[in-house]
Structure formats: C-alpha cells, structure tokens
C-alpha cells in the first residue's frame, strides 16, 4: 500500500484520481465519462479474458456432466441452468427462441458475475504489478494506469446494454417481420392513425433509449460506487501505515474491508442477476405485439 501510494500520489485525492484513470488509447484521464473516441484497453482486456473464462467454465461443466450422481460442481451448474431456464420459460413463450435466449442469459449472468467479482481483488494488487512492469520496461510508473473492474466503466456497461438492444431489434424483426415491426413503431401505443404516427414513433424510440440507458447505468452505478468504497477503505489502511499510533486504523481497515467484501458478494451477484433478468424481459417484450 505504501509503495502504491508513493507511486500514485501522496494525498487521498491523488491516490483516488490515479485509480480512476483507465489504461487507454490517450495515456491520460479522459474528460468525458462516456467517450467513444477513447479505447479503454483494460476494460477490453478484462472483459474478453473473463468472457473466455466464462465459455471455458460452462463448456467444461457440460463436458463433465454425467447422468449419475452429480458432483458439487455439476449440481451447482444444474441449479443455475434450471433457474435460468425457468425464468426464460416464464417470459419467452417461443420454445425455438428459448433455445438461444436461455443459454445467452446464462452466459450473461456468469460473465457479468465474474467481471463484478474483480472488485473483490485487493485494490492495489494488479495496479502495483502493472507499475512494476513499467519499472522493468524503464517507463515512468506514475503513468501506469489500470482499472480492473470492466462493469465500473460506463463504456463497458453501455456496450453490454447496447448488445441487448441489438438482440431485441433482431427478434422484433424476426418475430414480426420488418414490415410488421415498422407498423408497430408507428401505430403503438396510441393507435393506428396517421395523425398519431409521429407521436407513436417518438414514444417507441424513447422507450428503446430509456431501457438501454437504464440497463447499462444501473450496472455501472452500483459497481462504480462499490469500487470507490473499496478505494476509501484502502486509504484507511494507508493512513494507518503512515501514522504513529495507527492500530485502531488498522483494525478499522480490516473490519471495514472484510465487512464490505462480504456484503459486496451479494451486490455483485444481485447485479448480475438483475442484468440477466432485464435481458430476458426486454427480449420477451420483443416477442409481444402492442
């Protein structure tokens, strides 16, 4: 902690500001929280790595599944699969659609859970290793920016929600046909009258935009707040290391960190579940006609 603080600044503000900067394509803090012109390489890397891990874990569980007495891992996966399948069945009545949507929802849940779980790693662990790599390369470690929580990046969270939007549009066209969907856009919710068509279209677009933004912002807001609390708890430990009589601060750091980590397990699971459920709800709505 002391070495990280020395690398990243001596004040609490400098420490947190350093941790808020992504390893990105411009090499410094971006001015806009949602900027499509800047690539956050850390978000892309951890998202892809954990996505591949999700595929590996689910494929491994499927390959090792047996018809006999299941082991603990298989039993846990079966419970999760049945839960997702039941939720998909209650919201999407097309059996053909569920063959794709149910595995998609399961993948979304596990993937987002693993991305959220990155918040349980010690705040300075991976950034400290990244700063060490900068030193080995002869670069300035004060510029070794890294954020390891993809879902605390609004670009990452909105990327997930926009992907769900595209899937919903695809199912709207698949189920209703392009002409049928266009007719719905201009005839619902106020009625199929030419004078109401602009208002219907405006309301439909507002609905799509609102659902997409709320879907991503909910995940981002909760995970960003959790990440910030872990940083504040880490600062408490840093204050203890720098103070002469910091025993109480050390105890406070340990107690607060442990309590928040235990509570945060519930948060990361709940946020993954909520995102998955909303994905099922929105895809289910794409199957329905107004």
């Amino acid at each position: 902690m002391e070495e990280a603080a020395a690398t990243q600044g001596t004040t609490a503000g400098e420490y947190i500001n350093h941790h808020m900067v992504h390893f990105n394509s411009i090499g410094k803090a971006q001015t806009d929280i949602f900027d499509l012109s800047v690539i956050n390489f850390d978000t892309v890397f951890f998202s892809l790595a954990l996505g591949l891990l999700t595929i590996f874990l689910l494929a491994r569980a499927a390959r090792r599944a047996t018809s006999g007495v299941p082991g603990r891992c298989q039993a846990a996966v079966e419970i999760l699969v049945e839960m997702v399948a039941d939720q998909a069945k209650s919201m999407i009545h097309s059996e053909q659609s569920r063959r794709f949507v149910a595995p998609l929802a399961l993948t979304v849940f596990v993937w987002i859970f693993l991305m959220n779980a990155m918040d349980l790693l010690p705040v300075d662990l991976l950034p400290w290793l990244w700063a060490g790599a900068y030193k080995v390369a002869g670069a300035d470690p004060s510029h070794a920016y890294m954020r390891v929580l993809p879902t605390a990046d609004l670009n990452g969270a909105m990327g997930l929600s926009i992907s769900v939007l595209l899937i919903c549009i695809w199912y709207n066209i698949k189920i209703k046909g392009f002409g049928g969907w266009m007719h719905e856009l201009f005839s619902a919710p106020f009625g199929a009258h030419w004078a109401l068509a602009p208002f219907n279209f405006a309301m439909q677009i507002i609905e799509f935009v609102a659902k997409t933004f709320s879907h991503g912002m909910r995940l981002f807001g909760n995970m960003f707040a959790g990440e910030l609390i872990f940083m504040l708890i880490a600062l408490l430990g840093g204050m203890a290391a720098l103070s002469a009589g910091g025993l109480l601060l050390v105890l406070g750091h340990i107690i607060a960190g442990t309590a928040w980590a235990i509570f945060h397990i519930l948060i990361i699971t709940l946020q993954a579940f909520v995102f998955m459920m909303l994905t099922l709800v929105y895809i289910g709505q794409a199957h329905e006609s107004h």
Side-chain angles (χ1 to χ4, degrees):
M1 174 68 199
E2 290 177 279
E3 183 175 351
T7 300
Q8 298 166 1
T10 56
T11 68
E14 290 171 336
Y15 173 80
I16 292 179
N17 286 336
H18 189 280
H19 274 284
M20 288 287 103
V21 181
H22 288 275
F23 173 49
N24 54 40
S25 56
I26 60 176
K28 59 182 180 180
Q30 58 192 100
T31 56
D32 298 325
I33 195 171
F34 184 61
D35 189 351
L36 295 177
S37 66
V38 178
I39 301 174
N40 293 332
F41 296 120
D42 43 16
T43 297
V44 173
F45 172 78
F46 288 113
S47 296
L48 291 177
L50 293 171
L52 293 174
L53 178 60
T54 299
I55 295 172
F56 169 76
L57 292 176
L58 294 178
R60 183 172 181 269
R63 286 196 304 268
R64 295 196 172 190
T66 62
S67 57
V69 178
R72 287 177 294 180
C73 180
Q74 181 178 337
V77 173
E78 287 180 354
I79 292 173
L80 184 59
V81 169
E82 290 177 4
M83 181 270 292
V84 174
D86 290 341
Q87 296 297 334
K89 190 174 182 179
S90 66
M91 298 178 190
I92 301 171
H93 304 300
S94 170
E95 183 178 354
Q96 182 179 3
S97 295
R98 288 201 303 271
R99 293 176 184 173
F100 171 76
V101 175
L104 171 68
L106 176 63
T107 303
V108 165
F109 176 80
V110 176
W111 187 22
I112 293 181
F113 174 82
L114 291 177
M115 287 193 289
N116 291 350
M118 294 294 289
D119 208 15
L120 298 177
L121 293 174
V123 171
D124 287 310
L125 177 59
L126 294 182
W128 177 73
L129 294 175
W130 186 237
Y134 263 62
K135 290 181 180 179
V136 171
D140 184 1
S142 64
H143 294 270
Y145 302 115
M146 175 178 285
R147 292 182 66 182
V148 302
L149 185 58
T151 47
D153 178 9
L154 185 57
N155 297 275
M158 288 303 301
L160 292 170
S161 64
I162 290 173
S163 299
V164 173
L165 171 66
L166 295 177
I167 294 173
C168 291
I169 292 175
W170 183 73
Y171 269 110
N172 269 295
I173 297 174
K174 180 183 178 181
I175 300 299
K176 305 164 189 175
F178 183 77
W181 184 47
M182 286 294 104
H183 178 267
E184 183 178 272
L185 286 178
F186 289 96
S187 63
F190 301 122
H193 190 280
W194 66 268
L196 298 175
F199 303 101
N200 288 325
F201 182 75
M203 287 299 296
Q204 290 277 355
I205 296 302
I206 290 172
E207 179 182 353
F208 277 115
V209 172
K211 289 193 298 187
T212 301
F213 269 90
S214 63
H215 201 190
M217 287 292 293
R218 180 183 291 104
L219 177 63
F220 160 74
N222 282 279
M223 298 314 302
F224 182 85
E227 181 187 39
L228 190 57
I229 291 176
F230 272 122
M231 291 180 190
L232 295 175
I233 293 173
L235 278 173
L236 186 63
M239 292 170 59
L242 296 175
S243 61
L247 180 60
L248 292 178
L249 289 176
V250 171
L251 292 176
H253 169 73
I254 295 174
I255 293 172
T258 302
W260 180 245
I262 293 173
F263 178 70
H264 206 57
I265 294 174
L266 174 62
I267 294 177
I268 64 178
T269 306
L270 181 61
Q271 290 306 313
F273 179 77
V274 168
F275 196 96
M276 179 203 72
M277 288 297 296
L278 288 175
T279 299
L280 290 174
V281 168
Y282 295 156
I283 295 177
Q285 289 176 347
H287 286 69
E288 300 172 357
S289 299
H290 289 279

